[in-house]
């Protein structure tokens, strides 16, 4: 590719390029494509060759590139075709380990695991700055810092949020956290802006200080008419730790092995989207508002699909839900409602019902304790397709998830004559169609074009109301139990959303002046160790008398509930746990021991402070 680039411009020798293109330097950390992170100064991009370009000059520096063995002397090679002499490849060659740019460095996408596709990995080609100078090669040198990402499937909402937006959001936050502001997103795929561009556009705003929308290749091309465009700094890829699902490229699909993202971080991202879309909040301070449920008129939301995987008796379903649970029902879909409208109704819903599909990723906008019921077409086992179950189950999402599967062939409508990507099978040999029609459920398979899976997945479904209601009642009973046990406090009522009294300007200033991450204002705080622990054996009563002083920082934090956990261990090794509301307690001496070891921690709103590292020895 380097050669191509130089040859492209070597025809014209007359005019030396007057623009001085700054030399590039690269700094990477990490030791594999999956975990390497690279910062590049003065990275260029060649529109014609669709390559990133590293301008190599005397001051270029490289750090953290993969090491490979490279020949340091040329091989005295004789072609076996023209000579009968044996070829000795090693005679004049020695090798040494060198860091070189010779292959992919890091993932260009954020949320897609194990894609192992060179098209989605970042690499660049090197060009000598002297060669550029001597050719008629034009360049636009932009002062912008860019975060480079390749969208995976921008026409699918789950992929948009999981693969692109969430990893972008946390990559940009990381940069801001380290003081590097004003990164502009550069999307280096060949897609049009797409149906969900209004979500990608959010990375402009007051929140990320850069006032510009992301660039796509096309929009950047329209702004500059030079051969190269060069950025002052570039960072590659989103934050991979935000993934919760892998799509089954080289093992069956399922949750990622090491889930790192928390519900709190996802809700923080959801809050960013809500503000960006300027979705008004329900005012929970209005009269008639239940502090416990945060609802004036409780309602359920059905997200339907107009084209494929439809619910055929949607009106009956919504009437049945309304009747059974005394809920109003609202039906929305991506075809006729804006993203803002859908987010608006979701943020206060009691229940969300939808067929399996990308629209269910919007459950991240539901309030805590909301019920999510995912419907599965005939032959699609819910336990094999769990992106939305996984999302609902992430610690801190606090959603009540249930799956409902259609088991009745009479209530399923298939579309054999459709396009194969929408489940059509008419193009397949008769025997294969028969096997697909007879096989229930679909066997596990890799991504993405298994015809049996697509055929079943794109069926329409008439929901069996009786069977559905069994699932829904069970979920609503769990919700009732959870609401019953949840303390009603002002704090609890607002802890997953913004304060009801926060005005727009408050929010704007909060976001533009603060370092972000998941906002932890309402999270429990933990304490230091307790102080001055005294512990004595009282032999006459066979007890330990223990007292201590509260952790020093307890007076500086907000605490609704405070108690202490004591762990007492005798020489037999068995550890007993005791709980105390105060700072003094008597507990039984373990066994007939004359000595015991003691640890104490302070627990604030369910969050443990540190135990003492060395045990306190209790003796007579
Ligand atoms: N979609 C929709 N209505 C339909 C079919 C699809 O809104 O009738 C949306 C869907 O939510 C997703 C995109 O179109 O954002 C692609 O849908 P597809 O069925 O290919 O993917 P899936 O939903 O199975 O992930």
């Amino acid at each position: 590719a380097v050669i191509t680039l130089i040859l492209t411009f070597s025809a014209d020798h007359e005019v030396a390029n007057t623009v001085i293109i700054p030399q590039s330097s690269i700094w990477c950390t990490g030791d594999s494509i999956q975990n390497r992170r690279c910062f590049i100064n003065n990275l260029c991009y060649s529109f014609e060759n669709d390559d990133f370009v590293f301008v190599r000059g005397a001051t270029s520096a490289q750090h953290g590139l993969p090491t490979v063995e490279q020949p340091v002397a040329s091989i005295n090679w004789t072609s076996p075709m023209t000579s009968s002499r044996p070829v000795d490849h090693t005679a004049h060659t020695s090798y040494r380990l060198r860091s070189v740019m010779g292959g992919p460095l890091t993932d260009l996408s954020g949320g897609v695991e194990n894609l192992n596709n060179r098209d989605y990995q970042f690499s660049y080609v090197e060009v000598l700055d002297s060669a550029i100078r001597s050719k008629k090669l034009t360049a636009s040198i932009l002062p912008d810092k860019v975060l480079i990402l390749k969208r995976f499937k921008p026409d699918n909402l789950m992929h948009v949020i999981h693969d692109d937006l969430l990893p972008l959001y946390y990559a940009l936050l990381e940069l801001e956290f380290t003081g590097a502001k004003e990164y502009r997103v550069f999307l280096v795929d060949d897609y049009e802006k797409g149906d969900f561009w209004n979500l990608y556009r959010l990375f402009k705003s007051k929140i990320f200080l850069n006032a510009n929308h992301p660039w796509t290749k096309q929009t950047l091309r329209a702004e500059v008419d030079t051969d190269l465009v060069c950025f002052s700094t570039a960072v590659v890829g989103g934050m991979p730790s935000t993934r919760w699902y892998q799509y089954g490229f080289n093992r069956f699909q399922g949750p990622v092995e090491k889930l790192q993202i928390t519900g709190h971080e996802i809700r923080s991202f959801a809050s960013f989207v809500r503000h960006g879309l300027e979705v008004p909040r329900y005012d929970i301070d209005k009269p008639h508002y239940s502090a416990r449920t945060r609802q004036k008129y409780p309602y359920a939301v059905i997200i339907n699909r107009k084209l494929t995987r439809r619910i055929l008796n949607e009106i009956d379903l919504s009437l049945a839900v309304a009747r059974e649970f005394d809920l109003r029902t609202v039906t929305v879909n991506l075809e006729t409602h804006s993203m803002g409208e859908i987010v608006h109704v979701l943020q206060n819903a009691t229940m969300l019902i939808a067929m399996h599909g990308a629209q269910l990723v919007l459950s991240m906008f539901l309030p805590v304790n909301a019920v999510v019921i995912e419907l599965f077409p005939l032959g699609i086992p819910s336990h094999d397709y769990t992106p939305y179950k996984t999302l609902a189950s992430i610690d801190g999402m606090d959603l009540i998830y249930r799956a409902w599967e259609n088991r009745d062939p009479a209530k399923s409508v298939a579309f054999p004559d459709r396009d194969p990507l929408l489940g059509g099978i008419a193009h397949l040999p008769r025997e294969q169609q028969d096997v697909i029609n007879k096989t229930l459920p679909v066997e596990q398979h890799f991504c993405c074009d298994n015809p049996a899976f697509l055929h079943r997945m794109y069926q329409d479904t008439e929901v069996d109301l009786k069977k559905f209601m069994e699932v829904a009642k069970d979920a609503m009973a769990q919700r009732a139990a959870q609401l019953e046990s949840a303390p009603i406090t002002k704090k609890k009522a607002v802890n997953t959303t913004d304060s009801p009294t926060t005005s727009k300007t408050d929010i704007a200033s909060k976001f533009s002046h603060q370092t972000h991450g998941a906002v932890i204002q309402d999270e429990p705080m933990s304490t230091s160790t307790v102080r001055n622990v005294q512990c004595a054996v009282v032999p006459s009563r066979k007890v330990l008398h223990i007292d201590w002083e509260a952790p020093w920082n307890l007076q500086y934090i907000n605490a609704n509930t405070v108690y202490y956990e004591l762990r007492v261990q005798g020489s037999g090794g068995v550890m007993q746990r005791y709980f105390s509301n105060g700072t003094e307690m008597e507990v039984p001496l373990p066994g007939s021991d004359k000595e015991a070891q003691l640890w104490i921690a302070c627990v604030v709103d369910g969050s443990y402070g540190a135990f003492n590292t060395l045990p306190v020895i209790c003796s007579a």
Side-chain angles (χ1 to χ4, degrees):
V2 175
I3 293 165
T4 317
L5 185 74
I6 292 171
L7 285 182
T8 306
F9 302 102
S10 63
D12 191 341
H13 294 278
E14 318 159 2
V15 191
N17 182 23
T18 46
V19 179
I20 298 191
I21 301 181
Q23 295 164 16
S24 313
S25 284
I26 180 164
W27 185 278
C28 298
T29 55
D31 58 8
S32 69
I33 289 177
Q34 285 73 38
N35 70 18
R36 189 174 289 113
R37 231 166 139 60
C38 297
F39 290 79
I40 307 142
N41 282 344
N42 305 319
L43 180 71
C44 301
Y45 174 73
S46 157
F47 287 103
E48 181 173 344
N49 300 282
D50 193 16
D51 269 327
F52 285 102
V53 176
F54 186 95
V55 181
R56 176 80 83 95
T59 61
S60 288
Q62 295 180 331
H63 171 86
L65 297 189
T67 4
V68 293
E69 287 208 326
Q70 283 271 298
V72 290
S74 60
I75 299 169
N76 186 7
W77 192 78
T78 313
S79 165
M81 303 293 287
T82 56
S83 162
S84 55
R85 278 183 296 138
V87 181
D88 181 356
H89 288 279
T90 56
H92 305 285
T93 312
S94 64
Y95 290 82
R96 70 172 182 193
L97 221 51
R98 242 199 90 191
S99 290
V100 291
M101 175 54 223
L105 286 178
T106 183
D107 275 330
L108 260 177
S109 148
V112 190
E113 187 186 279
N114 284 331
L115 197 51
N116 270 348
N117 179 339
R118 277 292 290 259
D119 282 349
Y120 283 87
Q121 291 166 344
F122 173 78
S123 59
Y124 56 73
V125 296
E126 290 186 298
V127 171
L128 283 174
D129 71 329
S130 53
I132 291 179
R133 272 201 301 276
S134 64
K135 319 285 171 191
K136 191 185 167 189
L137 189 57
T138 58
S140 302
I141 318 266
L142 304 183
D144 297 71
K145 302 175 202 164
V146 286
L147 193 151
I148 299 167
L149 186 112
K150 190 162 190 166
R151 290 175 294 175
F152 182 59
K153 231 181 158 317
D155 58 350
N156 180 303
L157 188 56
M158 164 69 184
H159 287 286
V160 166
I161 290 185
H162 178 272
D163 307 346
D164 303 341
L165 300 182
L166 201 52
L168 263 179
Y169 178 70
Y170 277 101
L172 287 165
L173 287 188
E174 182 191 52
L175 290 167
E176 281 210 18
F177 196 91
T178 55
K181 292 189 190 300
E182 295 172 37
Y183 270 78
R184 183 164 178 178
V185 175
F186 180 23
L187 301 167
V188 289
D189 47 69
D190 295 308
Y191 291 107
E192 300 287 318
K193 286 179 175 173
D195 288 347
F196 301 108
W197 184 248
N198 60 338
L199 294 176
Y200 291 94
R201 275 169 54 108
L202 298 180
F203 293 107
K204 56 159 178 82
S205 74
K206 325 151 194 148
I207 297 174
F208 295 110
L209 294 176
N210 192 331
N212 293 309
H213 303 153
W215 274 306
T216 63
K217 280 200 257 183
Q218 289 97 328
T219 58
L220 182 58
R221 187 75 190 119
E223 284 182 32
V224 293
D225 59 358
T226 46
D227 305 311
L228 294 179
V229 58
C230 305
F231 309 102
S232 71
T233 306
V235 184
V236 183
M239 181 80 73
S241 59
T242 59
R243 300 169 182 165
W244 71 80
Y245 206 69
Q246 59 83 16
Y247 301 118
F249 295 114
N250 51 16
R251 60 193 161 101
F252 297 139
Q253 65 171 274
V256 292
E257 255 165 36
K258 241 177 72 191
L259 189 82
Q260 293 180 57
I261 185 117
T262 63
H264 200 68
E265 285 164 318
I266 292 176
R267 287 188 178 282
S268 223
F269 163 78
S271 173
F272 156 73
V273 172
R274 210 174 41 234
H275 291 310
L277 294 175
E278 300 191 351
V279 175
R281 287 216 44 80
Y282 277 86
D283 186 350
I284 77 167
D285 276 353
K286 283 256 169 73
H288 312 304
Y289 231 97
S290 154
R292 195 180 278 285
T293 61
R294 301 163 53 224
Q295 288 172 332
K296 192 168 181 184
Y297 303 114
Y299 58 87
V301 176
I302 299 176
I303 307 184
N304 65 7
R305 299 169 50 116
K306 287 229 170 279
L307 301 175
T308 58
R309 217 175 300 147
R310 292 172 305 169
I311 303 172
L312 295 172
N313 56 339
E314 190 183 287
I315 295 178
D316 294 341
L317 176 67
S318 100
L319 289 174
V321 168
R323 219 174 12 242
E324 180 67 42
F325 302 112
D326 196 17
L327 291 172
R328 295 175 180 213
T329 51
V330 186
T331 302
V332 291
N333 58 61
L334 290 174
E335 285 97 346
T336 51
H337 296 84
S338 71
M339 194 59 66
E341 285 166 339
I342 300 178
V343 169
H344 187 224
V345 294
L346 286 176
Q347 67 183 340
N348 212 27
T350 295
M351 181 190 280
L352 167 64
I353 303 164
M355 289 302 293
H356 171 83
Q359 61 288 343
L360 264 165
V361 74
L362 297 175
S363 56
M364 64 173 59
F365 293 98
L366 289 166
V368 293
N369 292 319
V371 165
V372 180
I373 305 183
E374 180 173 9
L375 312 173
F376 286 84
L378 177 74
I380 298 289
S382 59
H383 52 80
D384 288 342
Y385 305 92
T386 56
Y388 313 109
K389 179 184 180 180
T390 306
L391 170 61
S393 318
I394 291 172
D395 197 27
M397 287 308 294
D398 295 327
L399 295 171
I400 298 159
Y401 173 91
R402 294 290 186 280
W404 174 86
E405 295 175 7
N406 180 20
R407 301 271 168 78
D408 183 354
K411 291 185 185 296
S412 186
V413 178
F415 297 91
D417 296 324
R418 271 192 188 154
D419 183 304
L421 286 176
L422 293 175
I425 51 170
H427 64 292
L428 298 173
R430 189 75 249 166
E431 311 81 71
Q432 200 181 340
Q433 292 184 37
D434 290 344
V435 173
I436 289 175
N437 284 324
K438 275 190 218 132
T439 312
L440 274 180
V442 170
E443 286 165 8
Q444 277 191 295
H445 55 88
F446 292 137
C447 189
C448 308
D449 53 5
N450 179 298
F453 157 71
L454 291 172
H455 184 62
R456 293 291 175 199
M457 189 50 109
Y458 280 106
Q459 295 166 116
D460 289 348
T461 304
E462 182 192 329
V463 176
D464 181 318
L465 298 180
K466 197 159 156 271
K467 297 222 162 72
F468 171 85
M469 237 17 117
E470 288 165 17
V471 174
K473 279 188 203 165
D474 180 51
M476 287 297 272
Q478 184 182 335
R479 173 180 156 89
Q482 273 175 219
L483 290 175
E484 200 50 46
S485 62
I488 313 174
T489 63
K490 177 88 173 164
K491 217 169 141 192
K492 189 74 187 174
V494 297
N495 82 353
T496 61
T497 52
D498 305 298
S499 158
T501 51
T502 309
S503 71
K504 253 194 194 153
T505 29
D506 289 343
I507 292 160
S509 64
K510 175 170 141 195
F511 274 100
S512 55
H513 296 125
Q514 240 184 27
T515 304
H516 330 288
V519 177
I520 56 168
Q521 190 182 351
D522 297 315
E523 290 292 284
M525 297 172 76
S526 57
T527 56
S528 55
T529 46
V530 301
R531 294 166 300 161
N532 295 329
V533 182
Q534 308 287 335
C535 177
V537 176
V538 187
S540 56
R541 288 192 286 123
K542 292 213 165 80
V543 296
L544 296 173
H545 181 95
I546 307 162
D547 62 65
W548 61 93
E549 286 172 26
W552 75 267
N553 67 329
L554 188 59
Q555 58 182 312
Y556 299 109
I557 64 183
N558 280 335
N560 287 329
T561 60
V562 177
Y563 66 87
Y564 295 90
E565 177 169 332
L566 287 73
R567 296 185 180 178
V568 178
Q569 189 174 33
S571 59
V574 180
M575 185 172 290
Q576 298 286 353
R577 297 166 73 197
Y578 301 95
F579 301 94
S580 164
N581 289 328
T583 55
E584 187 176 12
M585 196 178 196
E586 283 196 350
V587 305
L589 189 60
S592 55
D593 289 338
K594 296 199 175 59
E595 205 175 87
Q597 298 187 339
L598 168 71
W599 293 264
I600 307 181
C602 178
V603 187
V604 174
D605 295 342
S607 175
Y608 276 76
F611 282 94
N612 38 310
T613 12
L614 292 176
V616 174
I617 308 294
C618 313
S619 54

